[in-house]
Amino acid sequence: MLYLAALAVGTYLAFRPTLDSGFARVAGDPGDTMLNHYLLEHSRRALFDPEYCGTLLSPPFFHPTPLVLGYSENMLGVAPLYWGLRSFLPEVPAFQVWMIVLNGLNLLAFACAARWLGAGPLTALLGGYLWAFGLVHIDQIKHAQLIPRFWMPLALYHAIYFLTAPNPRSLNRLCACVFLQCATCVYTGWFLAVGLAVFMPVAAILNRSHVKEMRFSARAWGIVCGWALVMGLFFAPYFLANRGVSRSYSDCLAGMPTVHSWLTAAEGGCWTGSLKSHLPKVNGESRLFCGFMLLALVAGAAIWSWGTIRVSVRRRDAVWIASLLLTAGFWWLVTLRFGDSASGWWLVRYVPGGQAIRCVSRVYVIVYLFASMGAVLWLEEMLQRFQSTPVRLLVLVAVGVAVVYEQSGHTPLSFVANDYYPVAERCGESLQGADAGYVKPTYGAIPGTHGELIGMWAGLHANVPVVNGYSGRWPVDYPVGYVFNERLMHEWLDGHFQGRVALVDPARPGEVQWVLIENGHDTGSDCKSNP
């Protein structure tokens, strides 16, 4: 009952605008949220609709550029849940339920991993609540690709189990969890992989593992190489679509956390008003504070584990806690920006895949993964020192209430679904019969972002490829502008397309300007009004 209550309370806090509005509002903003929703709907149509104009790897936007799925997240690891929901729900409610269910899985996965590592049911629940409904996680629901993180605590559990008793089964499960998290979200998958790459050697050294115990057999090497091959095949479209493209160090500076970032809470948090006057303003993606109680638990765990592992006979639970906190501390430090541009990220980004990372502040996923697990295991150890069960419960309730309270107060971003999706449908009606379409990206609070997404969704409804596009990057030589006029269109399509292009203004979706392009040249245009 407590698990269900925690799930209900956390879900309400995280998706309050959606639930209070009767699902009229969608969590997030109509930028990245509608992009992620588009990619989920695209993958469903590509796999199950034989008449669909796109293919799985080449969604019909930025037309005629191929492989544009590799410009952003594809979320194929969690798309099947959306496909299942779409079998009995319309597009928008299916997406809303998809987000809620995935966030609930985060709580359950962390709680299960903590239980398997020795935490009690209530301390495990506390850790699961933080992992699913911590203030930073609620704030980042605006980036739906960051919601599903349930493979991360499971991967951590299998890493510890493998280090405890190396065997092919736990190694295989560890690799599977890492791959599935990468298939779910590239950002979180990459940070999980590099986080484990630090944690496992540190834990092996602190545990004084003998080399012969860690030596790989031929079967173990086969498992690692097999999963590496699967990973390479899965990401091959990314490599093909982005060859020669990487993030420069200067691109990362704005999204790099500072010391102040880790003390800055999302707007509305219980400490936001008190701390704001004492802290400089940070980037909106770098509000990473989750409360003083969590910091106190981490500090207590660090002090205890340091003192415990210094004795000649090291306790294994202290080794795991120390390894978890050292890993969290390492990634906290090397991604920290000092001054205007100094950071260890300058070197870390050369780890394979690192130069695709722009928003470095998303390192919070592994900092809080390792730190929270260490804090939970330490709290369980401290509670066992109390002989009286009522005293243990009293301490746990006090800590739990403080932690949960510090995650409250923030109202997540949301938008009214009917302000955007119906507009896209009306524009889509006007694209019918075209070989390609373009919707002028003038609609929305941020023209050129929301407007481009309206064009993408219009093409999806009409089953017509569109020149519109919004993603992690633009194609090479793509003419970025609020109004894609005929001159820019010709520059983009010249030599790559021929056929009838429908130009639609979302302010007057019934009026269509038709342009016939043959070998990249305009052969005449006219205007018609759809009834």
Side-chain angles (χ1 to χ4, degrees), residues 33 36 75 95 98-99 140-148:
T33 300
N36 287 312
M75 296 177 292
F95 181 61
W98 177 83
M99 288 192 285
Q140 288 297 327
I141 283 176
K142 59 193 175 188
H143 300 300
Q145 73 273 24
L146 298 176
I147 294 176

Side-chain angles (χ1 to χ4, degrees), residues 51-298:
E51 303 298 323
Y52 184 53
C53 63
T55 63
L56 181 62
L57 300 180
S58 296
F61 65 92
F62 284 139
H63 185 71
T65 308
L67 301 178
V68 293
L69 187 67
Y71 286 7
S72 188
E73 301 283 355
N74 60 46
M75 296 177 292
L76 291 176
V78 284
L81 173 61
Y82 175 81
W83 304 338
L85 292 169
R86 279 289 280 119
S87 64
F88 59 90
L89 287 174
E91 293 166 350
V92 177
F95 181 61
Q96 293 167 308
V97 174
W98 177 83
M99 288 192 285
I100 291 172
V101 171
L102 290 179
N103 213 43
L105 291 176
N106 291 334
L107 182 148
L108 296 177
F110 192 101
C112 285
R115 288 285 286 137
W116 298 337
L117 292 172
L122 297 183
T123 49
L125 174 59
L126 180 63
Y129 188 92
L130 272 171
W131 183 240
F133 305 115
L135 201 55
V136 65
H137 299 306
I138 294 178
D139 187 30
Q140 288 297 327
I141 283 176
K142 59 193 175 188
H143 300 300
Q145 73 273 24
L146 298 176
I147 294 176
R149 303 178 301 279
F150 45 86
W151 294 113
M152 299 180 76
L154 300 179
L156 179 55
Y157 163 74
H158 288 299
I160 292 176
Y161 193 86
F162 174 74
L163 291 170
T164 303
N167 65 88
R169 176 178 292 182
S170 57
L171 176 62
N172 188 53
R173 291 175 177 176
L174 167 61
C175 293
C177 288
V178 172
F179 168 74
L180 289 169
Q181 188 60 51
C182 289
T184 296
C185 174
V186 175
Y187 258 90
T188 54
W190 187 85
F191 277 118
L192 172 63
V194 297
L196 291 172
V198 172
F199 169 75
M200 295 182 73
V202 168
I205 292 170
L206 291 182
N207 201 33
R208 295 174 177 169
S209 299
H210 298 294
V211 175
K212 64 179 181 180
E213 294 176 351
M214 303 303 296
R215 188 170 55 206
F216 275 12
S217 64
R219 183 180 177 187
W221 277 115
I223 291 171
V224 172
C225 292
W227 280 109
L229 177 61
V230 171
M231 190 83 76
L233 292 174
F234 182 83
F235 284 105
Y238 279 90
F239 300 142
L240 292 173
N242 297 289
R243 58 183 181 273
V245 177
S246 63
R247 304 287 187 186
S248 68
Y249 182 69
S250 59
D251 290 338
C252 306
L253 291 175
M256 200 175 293
T258 63
V259 172
H260 302 111
S261 300
W262 295 97
L263 294 173
T264 302
E267 289 296 328
C270 68
W271 292 109
T272 303
S274 303
L275 294 174
K276 181 180 285 188
S277 60
H278 302 287
L279 298 170
K281 188 175 181 180
V282 302
N283 183 281
E285 299 295 331
S286 302
R287 301 179 298 192
L288 311 178
F289 184 60
C290 280
F292 289 110
M293 180 55 74
L294 177 57
L295 293 181
L297 292 174
V298 171

Side-chain angles (χ1 to χ4, degrees), residues 21-42:
S21 66
F23 285 78
R25 302 186 72 91
V26 180
D29 66 76
D32 285 0
T33 300
M34 288 188 69
L35 170 63
N36 287 312
H37 188 191
Y38 174 95
L39 295 173
L40 290 169
E41 182 65 21
H42 154 74

Side-chain angles (χ1 to χ4, degrees), residues 190 194 247 252 345 348-358 360:
W190 187 85
V194 297
R247 304 287 187 186
C252 306
W345 182 253
V348 172
R349 68 194 179 98
Y350 289 106
V351 173
Q355 293 192 58
I357 303 296
R358 176 184 61 84
V360 184

